[in-house]
Amino acid sequence: MNSSYLLLPTLFISSILGITTHHNLPLMLALLLTLILITSFYSKQIHTIFIFLICFHCFTFGFRCYYYDQVWTTSYLAYKSFNQDIITGDYIVKEDISKTTTRYIITPIDSKVDLFLSTQNKHLTPNDHIRVKGTYYLPERPRNPGQFDSFRYQKQRKICGTIRAESITLISQRSQNLIKRIATYLRKHVHLIHKSSLTDPYSSLFSSLIIGDTHVALPRIMKHAFQQTGLLHLLVVSGSQVSLLSGIIFNLLRFSKIPLWICFFIISFINIIFYFMTGAGSSIFRAILMNQISIGLLCLNHRTPPLYALLFSAYIMVWVDPFYFWDIGAQLSFAATASLLFGVPIIQSLIKFKPIFVRQLTGLALAPFLFTSPLTLYYFNNISPISIISNFLVVGWIEWLVVLGFFSTLIGFIWYPLAFFINQTCFLMMFILWKFVQLLAKLRFGTIFIEQCHWIWILIIYCLLGLFFYLVSIKRKQMAWSLLIICCSSTIIFLFLKSTFKSNLVVTFLDVGQGDSILITTPYKKRILIDAGNAYKTSRSIVDKGKSVVTPYLKTLGINKLDMLIISHFDQDHVGGVASVLDQFQTNIIIDNNSQPNTELNTLIVAQNINRMSGLNHQIIMLEPDTYLEFFPPFLNCKNYCHSENNHSVVFKLIYKQFSVLFTGDLEQIGEEALIERYPNSLDSTVLKLGHHGSLTSTTKSFLEVVSPKYAVISSGRYNRFNHPHPTIIQRLSDYGIPYHRTDLSGGVSVSSNGYSFSISKFLKKSL
């Protein structure tokens, strides 16, 4: 093979090697040598200059990543001492990323990293020179499995924390460059056209379809429905919008007999403006690069394989910023584009349906699903089979809607009445679209959560997928189908055997701040959730631990259904996140203390027809052989004896062979005394979840003596205003020789047992 054909792919691969292995020089050298040997094998005439370019690229990209790491780490260590302290400094506003909250990216005058700025009332514009006084917050590492990694997210974007402003002083206003000023003006005018001709939420949906959702406050319920049905990609501006805009401009220019090279520069200028209009995301960057490459090759009257255009655009992106390689949006964008270029034609060749449009729609629905599902599986622990149906039925509809939307938006700049008329047709189309999306979103198991898998498995899936399409492309269809059948059969058998294998009992105490949430996983994979943390609204945002902590963890485990949800009591720090959990997961049974839930929660329970068991007496519920729950109500009629909702907590013991865990909710001293009186010989347990977050009102000496735990777990929030756990309780545990873990210090805590011995692990490790 001629070495010139290998130049671009090899340089791109060497760049990726440098990016991914910059922290490990021996590994980089080993992989680099392997790449050179493979290239030499395929090319009989590999020149010294070729080898030099490969090494140069690898080390250049590796050094750039290493340099960025060092700069960010230095800034992080410098800011670390100011965490949650008041700081004052001068900054330049870099970007407005406001949607529902006022939020900016700012650059310190004397630093090479950026910061987030969160404020309430101040309206700022990019390039403003401001003086900010506010509370600084470090980027946080996740404290539970599956939780969003703010630390990694900010590091990859060279952002080093958040300032919540108390006061902002505008020192001077600096004008933006011409292109950004034009882009800002056009974006605001587009939103104005849409808002004046359509009502919410359809105006927001329309803007999202035309120029993306980066600067659009799309209702959460609408965005969630599009996500559930695998249609969220429609709200991200990418190739279709860029191709449509460029096609309109290009044909108008060619109709005016303008030379090709002038067309290229005019379209380049318009694409740059459109890039900033849409929020300068990675997917639009990729789309514009490929568009420019295609037009440039047309001007040169030169043809090149689509793979080279795709690789060249990826190469330019990582050259501009090596961290684009880690950007999830960029990865999904390239996977979707590859599916359209290579997957759709091959799938269409396999389909024998007579109507051509059916074959086209099938290819357009199936190929992106196959190419992007491994990435969504890796990053989001789910696959969305419903997306095949939704994309098959909706993609054509959306294409026409986007075409009409583009024309009406362009006409709106010239003659608004005509744009208004066209937008009423678009409104009808969006109304039908939204009703259809809502209908699909209600289907259970449209999205299937799968247990988190290692990146090696994702690589294997892509290799097998590539092999399948390669075999089809070289007319080895029988071999390709055999490969597909073997892979599918092996996967089904593996999943079946895995579900039948017996494993350890695992109890995970999640760190939900000042609240409780615990997941029990039995040896045969029954899932029981106890409480779901807090949910409350602040002046700046809505905090929902059910959504931000509990739900991601359940998805990480591949849980699609909860066998049981136990609500210890209806205090907000225990039940606040339950609504978010019920919204995502089918639940068979809810056990609670017979208090009245709030209206929202009660509506969800009734709507989903969940079996509710309230106010259980002393009884046992068998889960599996050797595994059961034993309930210990402190009072027969709590309303007559309890002085608080805390003493009305559901108290029960999980028993697996010789191992047991006692859960006490927020039980206080009066409840503990009642338990001792009613069940003196039944409370001894291997592990004790301390009542009321380690409060002084719970965990009395007499209760510890009766339970006699070998280990204790305390669920409490960092920096909580109640000073939980109380120092007296900590000293009491030490006096009784009971080791313990605290979620405020250890993050999530997991207890695993085979029924005889047990081990405890914490999620938080030593870190930077």
Side-chain angles (χ1 to χ4, degrees), residues 464-607:
L464 292 172
L465 191 63
L467 179 59
F468 173 80
F469 280 101
Y470 173 72
L471 290 172
V472 174
S473 67
I474 62 172
K475 310 301 182 183
R476 299 285 184 89
K477 294 184 180 180
Q478 188 174 358
M479 190 180 294
W481 286 118
S482 300
L483 174 68
L484 182 64
I485 292 169
I486 291 170
C487 290
C488 291
S489 303
S490 301
T491 302
I492 292 170
I493 293 170
F494 171 75
L495 292 175
F496 174 76
L497 292 175
K498 185 178 179 182
S499 66
T500 57
F501 282 153
K502 185 178 180 181
S503 56
N504 280 356
L505 172 79
V506 179
V507 182
T508 303
F509 300 82
L510 295 173
D511 177 14
V512 289
Q514 190 66 10
D516 275 9
S517 187
I518 304 157
L519 181 72
I520 299 170
T521 302
T522 66
Y524 289 104
K525 299 295 185 292
K526 276 190 167 60
R527 316 285 188 169
I528 300 162
L529 181 67
I530 308 165
D531 297 334
N534 206 345
Y536 54 91
K537 188 175 183 178
T538 69
S539 58
R540 299 174 188 270
S541 62
I542 296 174
V543 177
D544 185 346
K545 296 297 184 179
K547 182 180 179 181
S548 63
V549 176
V550 183
T551 296
Y553 176 59
L554 299 180
K555 291 179 180 178
T556 300
L557 296 178
I559 295 174
N560 291 282
K561 180 186 72 172
L562 289 171
D563 296 281
M564 189 182 295
L565 170 61
I566 299 175
I567 299 174
S568 64
H569 61 299
F570 286 92
D571 279 358
Q572 188 66 9
D573 60 331
H574 291 252
V575 79
V578 167
S580 294
V581 173
L582 293 181
D583 190 49
Q584 290 282 314
F585 301 94
Q586 181 182 346
T587 303
N588 290 346
I589 299 171
I590 289 180
I591 295 177
D592 60 59
N593 65 355
N594 204 27
S595 292
Q596 185 61 35
N598 61 49
T599 305
E600 179 190 7
L601 183 56
N602 191 59
T603 302
L604 270 174
I605 294 171
V606 172

Side-chain angles (χ1 to χ4, degrees), residues 406-447:
F406 253 96
F407 274 106
S408 72
T409 302
L410 292 173
I411 292 168
F413 283 91
I414 304 168
W415 190 28
Y416 174 74
L418 180 57
F420 180 87
F421 176 76
I422 297 174
N423 282 352
Q424 303 319 300
T425 304
C426 294
F427 167 76
L428 179 61
M429 294 179 71
M430 284 189 293
F431 180 80
I432 296 171
L433 171 67
W434 175 230
K435 293 301 178 184
F436 179 72
V437 169
Q438 284 181 301
L439 180 66
L440 289 179
K442 290 178 181 178
L443 297 177
R444 284 287 180 182
F445 302 112
T447 299

